[in-house]
mmCIF file of all heavy atoms in Angstrom:
data_model
loop_
_atom_site.group_PDB
_atom_site.id
_atom_site.type_symbol
_atom_site.label_atom_id
_atom_site.label_comp_id
_atom_site.label_asym_id
_atom_site.label_seq_id
_atom_site.Cartn_x
_atom_site.Cartn_y
_atom_site.Cartn_z
ATOM 1 N N PHE A 299 116.095 124.082 82.928
ATOM 2 C CA PHE A 299 116.828 124.060 81.665
ATOM 3 C C PHE A 299 115.793 124.232 80.567
ATOM 4 O O PHE A 299 114.913 123.390 80.392
ATOM 5 C CB PHE A 299 117.605 122.752 81.527
ATOM 6 C CG PHE A 299 118.581 122.546 82.654
ATOM 7 C CD1 PHE A 299 118.261 121.714 83.713
ATOM 8 C CD2 PHE A 299 119.789 123.224 82.684
ATOM 9 C CE1 PHE A 299 119.144 121.536 84.772
ATOM 10 C CE2 PHE A 299 120.680 123.059 83.740
ATOM 11 C CZ PHE A 299 120.354 122.205 84.780
ATOM 12 N N HIS A 300 115.882 125.327 79.844
ATOM 13 C CA HIS A 300 114.787 125.809 79.011
ATOM 14 C C HIS A 300 114.417 124.917 77.844
ATOM 15 O O HIS A 300 113.326 125.011 77.306
ATOM 16 C CB HIS A 300 115.122 127.207 78.493
ATOM 17 C CG HIS A 300 116.508 127.319 77.936
ATOM 18 N ND1 HIS A 300 116.877 126.735 76.745
ATOM 19 C CD2 HIS A 300 117.617 127.935 78.431
ATOM 20 C CE1 HIS A 300 118.151 126.998 76.507
ATOM 21 N NE2 HIS A 300 118.633 127.725 77.510
ATOM 22 N N ASN A 301 115.318 124.025 77.394
ATOM 23 C CA ASN A 301 115.011 123.082 76.306
ATOM 24 C C ASN A 301 114.576 123.777 75.016
ATOM 25 O O ASN A 301 113.713 123.283 74.289
ATOM 26 C CB ASN A 301 113.919 122.088 76.739
ATOM 27 C CG ASN A 301 114.323 121.266 77.937
ATOM 28 O OD1 ASN A 301 115.437 120.758 78.002
ATOM 29 N ND2 ASN A 301 113.429 121.133 78.910
ATOM 30 N N LEU A 302 115.188 124.921 74.741
ATOM 31 C CA LEU A 302 114.914 125.598 73.478
ATOM 32 C C LEU A 302 115.703 124.951 72.351
ATOM 33 O O LEU A 302 116.703 124.254 72.587
ATOM 34 C CB LEU A 302 115.293 127.078 73.587
ATOM 35 C CG LEU A 302 114.536 127.906 74.627
ATOM 36 C CD1 LEU A 302 115.153 129.296 74.743
ATOM 37 C CD2 LEU A 302 113.057 127.996 74.301
ATOM 38 N N LEU A 303 115.276 125.190 71.119
ATOM 39 C CA LEU A 303 115.994 124.694 69.942
ATOM 40 C C LEU A 303 116.991 125.768 69.529
ATOM 41 O O LEU A 303 116.624 126.793 68.958
ATOM 42 C CB LEU A 303 115.006 124.394 68.820
ATOM 43 C CG LEU A 303 113.955 123.333 69.163
ATOM 44 C CD1 LEU A 303 112.918 123.212 68.052
ATOM 45 C CD2 LEU A 303 114.622 121.983 69.414
ATOM 46 N N SER A 304 118.265 125.516 69.831
ATOM 47 C CA SER A 304 119.281 126.565 69.751
ATOM 48 C C SER A 304 119.503 127.105 68.340
ATOM 49 O O SER A 304 119.906 128.251 68.168
ATOM 50 C CB SER A 304 120.607 126.054 70.327
ATOM 51 O OG SER A 304 121.060 124.920 69.608
ATOM 52 N N ALA A 305 119.253 126.296 67.319
ATOM 53 C CA ALA A 305 119.494 126.737 65.943
ATOM 54 C C ALA A 305 118.360 127.617 65.411
ATOM 55 O O ALA A 305 118.492 128.237 64.356
ATOM 56 C CB ALA A 305 119.681 125.535 65.027
ATOM 57 N N PHE A 306 117.247 127.688 66.156
ATOM 58 C CA PHE A 306 116.092 128.448 65.705
ATOM 59 C C PHE A 306 116.023 129.794 66.429
ATOM 60 O O PHE A 306 116.588 129.971 67.507
ATOM 61 C CB PHE A 306 114.805 127.661 65.943
ATOM 62 C CG PHE A 306 114.638 126.463 65.052
ATOM 63 C CD1 PHE A 306 115.266 125.261 65.344
ATOM 64 C CD2 PHE A 306 113.867 126.548 63.901
ATOM 65 C CE1 PHE A 306 115.121 124.160 64.517
ATOM 66 C CE2 PHE A 306 113.710 125.452 63.062
ATOM 67 C CZ PHE A 306 114.350 124.247 63.371
ATOM 68 N N SER A 307 115.297 130.712 65.818
ATOM 69 C CA SER A 307 115.152 132.034 66.416
ATOM 70 C C SER A 307 114.199 131.978 67.608
ATOM 71 O O SER A 307 113.468 131.001 67.815
ATOM 72 C CB SER A 307 114.610 133.018 65.381
ATOM 73 O OG SER A 307 113.253 132.716 65.072
ATOM 74 N N ALA A 308 114.192 133.067 68.371
ATOM 75 C CA ALA A 308 113.252 133.176 69.492
ATOM 76 C C ALA A 308 111.817 133.047 68.991
ATOM 77 O O ALA A 308 110.998 132.327 69.584
ATOM 78 C CB ALA A 308 113.455 134.512 70.206
ATOM 79 N N LEU A 309 111.498 133.727 67.887
ATOM 80 C CA LEU A 309 110.150 133.677 67.329
ATOM 81 C C LEU A 309 109.771 132.255 66.927
ATOM 82 O O LEU A 309 108.666 131.782 67.230
ATOM 83 C CB LEU A 309 110.062 134.602 66.114
ATOM 84 C CG LEU A 309 108.657 134.802 65.526
ATOM 85 C CD1 LEU A 309 107.811 135.661 66.458
ATOM 86 C CD2 LEU A 309 108.736 135.452 64.145
ATOM 87 N N GLU A 310 110.672 131.564 66.270
ATOM 88 C CA GLU A 310 110.391 130.195 65.829
ATOM 89 C C GLU A 310 110.191 129.257 67.009
ATOM 90 O O GLU A 310 109.330 128.364 66.974
ATOM 91 C CB GLU A 310 111.530 129.699 64.934
ATOM 92 C CG GLU A 310 111.567 130.382 63.575
ATOM 93 C CD GLU A 310 112.870 130.152 62.823
ATOM 94 O OE1 GLU A 310 113.911 129.888 63.466
ATOM 95 O OE2 GLU A 310 112.851 130.243 61.587
ATOM 96 N N ASN A 311 110.961 129.446 68.074
ATOM 97 C CA ASN A 311 110.792 128.614 69.264
ATOM 98 C C ASN A 311 109.420 128.808 69.893
ATOM 99 O O ASN A 311 108.785 127.845 70.319
ATOM 100 C CB ASN A 311 111.885 128.925 70.291
ATOM 101 C CG ASN A 311 113.114 128.057 70.129
ATOM 102 O OD1 ASN A 311 113.184 126.942 70.634
ATOM 103 N ND2 ASN A 311 114.100 128.565 69.397
ATOM 104 N N VAL A 312 108.959 130.058 69.954
ATOM 105 C CA VAL A 312 107.651 130.334 70.553
ATOM 106 C C VAL A 312 106.525 129.769 69.689
ATOM 107 O O VAL A 312 105.477 129.356 70.192
ATOM 108 C CB VAL A 312 107.468 131.847 70.780
ATOM 109 C CG1 VAL A 312 106.073 132.159 71.315
ATOM 110 C CG2 VAL A 312 108.524 132.359 71.758
ATOM 111 N N MET A 313 106.746 129.711 68.382
ATOM 112 C CA MET A 313 105.727 129.193 67.473
ATOM 113 C C MET A 313 105.563 127.679 67.553
ATOM 114 O O MET A 313 104.525 127.140 67.140
ATOM 115 C CB MET A 313 106.073 129.580 66.025
ATOM 116 C CG MET A 313 105.898 131.046 65.706
ATOM 117 S SD MET A 313 106.577 131.491 64.065
ATOM 118 C CE MET A 313 105.616 130.448 62.971
ATOM 119 N N MET A 314 106.553 126.972 68.093
ATOM 120 C CA MET A 314 106.567 125.505 68.036
ATOM 121 C C MET A 314 105.316 124.830 68.607
ATOM 122 O O MET A 314 104.754 123.919 67.969
ATOM 123 C CB MET A 314 107.818 124.956 68.723
ATOM 124 C CG MET A 314 109.103 125.176 67.959
ATOM 125 S SD MET A 314 109.091 124.369 66.340
ATOM 126 C CE MET A 314 110.653 124.970 65.668
ATOM 127 N N PRO A 315 104.829 125.206 69.803
ATOM 128 C CA PRO A 315 103.634 124.521 70.314
ATOM 129 C C PRO A 315 102.401 124.728 69.429
ATOM 130 O O PRO A 315 101.591 123.810 69.268
ATOM 131 C CB PRO A 315 103.419 125.167 71.695
ATOM 132 C CG PRO A 315 104.751 125.715 72.076
ATOM 133 C CD PRO A 315 105.371 126.168 70.796
ATOM 134 N N ILE A 316 102.262 125.939 68.861
ATOM 135 C CA ILE A 316 101.120 126.213 67.987
ATOM 136 C C ILE A 316 101.268 125.412 66.694
ATOM 137 O O ILE A 316 100.306 124.839 66.188
ATOM 138 C CB ILE A 316 101.006 127.710 67.665
ATOM 139 C CG1 ILE A 316 101.204 128.564 68.912
ATOM 140 C CG2 ILE A 316 99.648 128.011 67.029
ATOM 141 C CD1 ILE A 316 101.273 130.055 68.646
ATOM 142 N N LEU A 317 102.479 125.355 66.176
ATOM 143 C CA LEU A 317 102.748 124.594 64.955
ATOM 144 C C LEU A 317 102.425 123.116 65.162
ATOM 145 O O LEU A 317 101.845 122.457 64.293
ATOM 146 C CB LEU A 317 104.209 124.767 64.540
ATOM 147 C CG LEU A 317 104.646 124.133 63.221
ATOM 148 C CD1 LEU A 317 103.876 124.732 62.055
ATOM 149 C CD2 LEU A 317 106.146 124.314 63.015
ATOM 150 N N GLY A 318 102.786 122.607 66.345
ATOM 151 C CA GLY A 318 102.507 121.211 66.644
ATOM 152 C C GLY A 318 101.018 120.918 66.699
ATOM 153 O O GLY A 318 100.572 119.813 66.385
ATOM 154 N N ASP A 319 100.227 121.922 67.079
ATOM 155 C CA ASP A 319 98.778 121.738 67.172
ATOM 156 C C ASP A 319 98.088 121.959 65.832
ATOM 157 O O ASP A 319 97.210 121.196 65.442
ATOM 158 C CB ASP A 319 98.209 122.720 68.214
ATOM 159 C CG ASP A 319 96.724 122.511 68.450
ATOM 160 O OD1 ASP A 319 96.346 121.400 68.869
ATOM 161 O OD2 ASP A 319 95.947 123.454 68.223
ATOM 162 N N VAL A 320 98.501 122.998 65.114
ATOM 163 C CA VAL A 320 97.837 123.362 63.848
ATOM 164 C C VAL A 320 98.398 122.575 62.668
ATOM 165 O O VAL A 320 97.668 122.152 61.777
ATOM 166 C CB VAL A 320 97.969 124.882 63.592
ATOM 167 C CG1 VAL A 320 97.366 125.267 62.254
ATOM 168 C CG2 VAL A 320 97.306 125.655 64.720
ATOM 169 N N GLY A 321 99.737 122.408 62.658
ATOM 170 C CA GLY A 321 100.353 121.592 61.616
ATOM 171 C C GLY A 321 101.040 122.359 60.511
ATOM 172 O O GLY A 321 101.797 121.784 59.736
ATOM 173 N N TRP A 322 100.789 123.659 60.419
ATOM 174 C CA TRP A 322 101.458 124.465 59.389
ATOM 175 C C TRP A 322 101.542 125.915 59.874
ATOM 176 O O TRP A 322 100.690 126.379 60.623
ATOM 177 C CB TRP A 322 100.690 124.406 58.059
ATOM 178 C CG TRP A 322 99.293 124.932 58.138
ATOM 179 C CD1 TRP A 322 98.873 126.215 57.984
ATOM 180 C CD2 TRP A 322 98.102 124.183 58.440
ATOM 181 N NE1 TRP A 322 97.525 126.323 58.159
ATOM 182 C CE2 TRP A 322 97.019 125.091 58.436
ATOM 183 C CE3 TRP A 322 97.860 122.826 58.696
ATOM 184 C CZ2 TRP A 322 95.706 124.678 58.684
ATOM 185 C CZ3 TRP A 322 96.564 122.435 58.950
ATOM 186 C CH2 TRP A 322 95.504 123.347 58.941
ATOM 187 N N PRO A 323 102.572 126.651 59.462
ATOM 188 C CA PRO A 323 102.730 128.035 59.917
ATOM 189 C C PRO A 323 101.819 128.973 59.135
ATOM 190 O O PRO A 323 101.515 128.744 57.965
ATOM 191 C CB PRO A 323 104.208 128.332 59.618
ATOM 192 C CG PRO A 323 104.549 127.423 58.486
ATOM 193 C CD PRO A 323 103.717 126.186 58.657
ATOM 194 N N ASP A 324 101.347 130.011 59.818
ATOM 195 C CA ASP A 324 100.572 131.034 59.122
ATOM 196 C C ASP A 324 100.816 132.381 59.798
ATOM 197 O O ASP A 324 101.509 132.475 60.812
ATOM 198 C CB ASP A 324 99.076 130.689 59.090
ATOM 199 C CG ASP A 324 98.472 130.519 60.480
ATOM 200 O OD1 ASP A 324 99.006 131.099 61.450
ATOM 201 O OD2 ASP A 324 97.462 129.810 60.597
ATOM 202 N N GLY A 325 100.238 133.419 59.230
ATOM 203 C CA GLY A 325 100.468 134.764 59.742
ATOM 204 C C GLY A 325 99.956 134.955 61.155
ATOM 205 O O GLY A 325 100.585 135.639 61.965
ATOM 206 N N ALA A 326 98.815 134.349 61.475
ATOM 207 C CA ALA A 326 98.233 134.493 62.808
ATOM 208 C C ALA A 326 99.151 133.883 63.872
ATOM 209 O O ALA A 326 99.309 134.421 64.967
ATOM 210 C CB ALA A 326 96.862 133.838 62.849
ATOM 211 N N MET A 327 99.758 132.752 63.511
ATOM 212 C CA MET A 327 100.683 132.093 64.425
ATOM 213 C C MET A 327 101.900 132.968 64.693
ATOM 214 O O MET A 327 102.334 133.136 65.840
ATOM 215 C CB MET A 327 101.122 130.755 63.816
ATOM 216 C CG MET A 327 101.983 129.888 64.718
ATOM 217 S SD MET A 327 102.637 128.452 63.814
ATOM 218 C CE MET A 327 101.126 127.701 63.193
ATOM 219 N N MET A 328 102.429 133.560 63.636
ATOM 220 C CA MET A 328 103.590 134.433 63.786
ATOM 221 C C MET A 328 103.246 135.672 64.605
ATOM 222 O O MET A 328 104.025 136.116 65.450
ATOM 223 C CB MET A 328 104.117 134.827 62.399
ATOM 224 C CG MET A 328 105.448 135.570 62.417
ATOM 225 S SD MET A 328 106.106 135.815 60.733
ATOM 226 C CE MET A 328 106.374 134.118 60.222
ATOM 227 N N GLU A 329 102.049 136.207 64.381
ATOM 228 C CA GLU A 329 101.606 137.381 65.131
ATOM 229 C C GLU A 329 101.458 137.050 66.618
ATOM 230 O O GLU A 329 101.846 137.839 67.478
ATOM 231 C CB GLU A 329 100.277 137.886 64.574
ATOM 232 C CG GLU A 329 99.766 139.154 65.261
ATOM 233 C CD GLU A 329 98.454 139.647 64.672
ATOM 234 O OE1 GLU A 329 98.006 139.065 63.662
ATOM 235 O OE2 GLU A 329 97.888 140.602 65.227
ATOM 236 N N ARG A 330 100.882 135.884 66.915
ATOM 237 C CA ARG A 330 100.726 135.453 68.306
ATOM 238 C C ARG A 330 102.095 135.325 68.981
ATOM 239 O O ARG A 330 102.302 135.802 70.106
ATOM 240 C CB ARG A 330 99.995 134.109 68.339
ATOM 241 C CG ARG A 330 100.008 133.369 69.672
ATOM 242 C CD ARG A 330 99.086 133.979 70.677
ATOM 243 N NE ARG A 330 99.004 133.173 71.886
ATOM 244 C CZ ARG A 330 98.620 133.636 73.063
ATOM 245 N NH1 ARG A 330 98.256 134.903 73.194
ATOM 246 N NH2 ARG A 330 98.567 132.860 74.114
ATOM 247 N N ALA A 331 103.055 134.697 68.304
ATOM 248 C CA ALA A 331 104.395 134.516 68.866
ATOM 249 C C ALA A 331 105.082 135.859 69.087
ATOM 250 O O ALA A 331 105.743 136.074 70.117
ATOM 251 C CB ALA A 331 105.235 133.630 67.943
ATOM 252 N N ALA A 332 104.911 136.779 68.141
ATOM 253 C CA ALA A 332 105.522 138.101 68.267
ATOM 254 C C ALA A 332 104.942 138.861 69.459
ATOM 255 O O ALA A 332 105.670 139.541 70.195
ATOM 256 C CB ALA A 332 105.332 138.894 66.982
ATOM 257 N N LYS A 333 103.627 138.768 69.674
ATOM 258 C CA LYS A 333 102.988 139.437 70.808
ATOM 259 C C LYS A 333 103.484 138.856 72.131
ATOM 260 O O LYS A 333 103.700 139.597 73.104
ATOM 261 C CB LYS A 333 101.476 139.304 70.709
ATOM 262 C CG LYS A 333 100.846 140.211 69.664
ATOM 263 C CD LYS A 333 99.333 140.081 69.660
ATOM 264 C CE LYS A 333 98.704 141.044 68.656
ATOM 265 N NZ LYS A 333 97.218 140.895 68.622
ATOM 266 N N LEU A 334 103.669 137.544 72.168
ATOM 267 C CA LEU A 334 104.160 136.907 73.397
ATOM 268 C C LEU A 334 105.588 137.354 73.697
ATOM 269 O O LEU A 334 105.928 137.619 74.861
ATOM 270 C CB LEU A 334 104.085 135.385 73.265
ATOM 271 C CG LEU A 334 102.683 134.796 73.376
ATOM 272 C CD1 LEU A 334 102.677 133.338 72.938
ATOM 273 C CD2 LEU A 334 102.149 134.919 74.796
ATOM 274 N N LEU A 335 106.416 137.450 72.667
ATOM 275 C CA LEU A 335 107.786 137.919 72.887
ATOM 276 C C LEU A 335 107.792 139.380 73.320
ATOM 277 O O LEU A 335 108.612 139.784 74.154
ATOM 278 C CB LEU A 335 108.620 137.722 71.620
ATOM 279 C CG LEU A 335 109.044 136.278 71.356
ATOM 280 C CD1 LEU A 335 109.672 136.149 69.971
ATOM 281 C CD2 LEU A 335 110.027 135.785 72.416
ATOM 282 N N ALA A 336 106.865 140.163 72.792
ATOM 283 C CA ALA A 336 106.757 141.555 73.241
ATOM 284 C C ALA A 336 106.364 141.617 74.711
ATOM 285 O O ALA A 336 106.846 142.469 75.467
ATOM 286 C CB ALA A 336 105.728 142.296 72.386
ATOM 287 N N SER A 337 105.508 140.686 75.152
ATOM 288 C CA SER A 337 105.047 140.684 76.541
ATOM 289 C C SER A 337 106.163 140.349 77.517
ATOM 290 O O SER A 337 106.070 140.679 78.708
ATOM 291 C CB SER A 337 103.893 139.688 76.716
ATOM 292 O OG SER A 337 104.355 138.349 76.711
#
C-alpha cells in the first residue's frame, strides 16, 4: 500500500523525503523529483 499523500501531486509526493531532510523546497529538489518521475 503505497502510502502516498492523495491530495498532493506526483511531483510533490516524490519531493517529500528530500523536503524532510533539507527543510525547504528549492529548484534542485524539484528537478531531482522530475528526473525520478521521468525514470
Side-chain angles (χ1 to χ4, degrees):
F299 301 100
H300 47 71
N301 300 315
L302 298 172
L303 300 173
S304 60
F306 290 82
S307 70
L309 188 72
E310 289 166 335
N311 269 275
V312 176
M313 289 171 60
M314 288 299 174
I316 316 173
L317 185 62
D319 185 60
V320 177
W322 61 87
D324 58 25
M327 186 188 304
M328 189 173 296
E329 183 179 354
R330 167 75 174 158
K333 285 183 177 179
L334 285 168
L335 284 171
S337 75

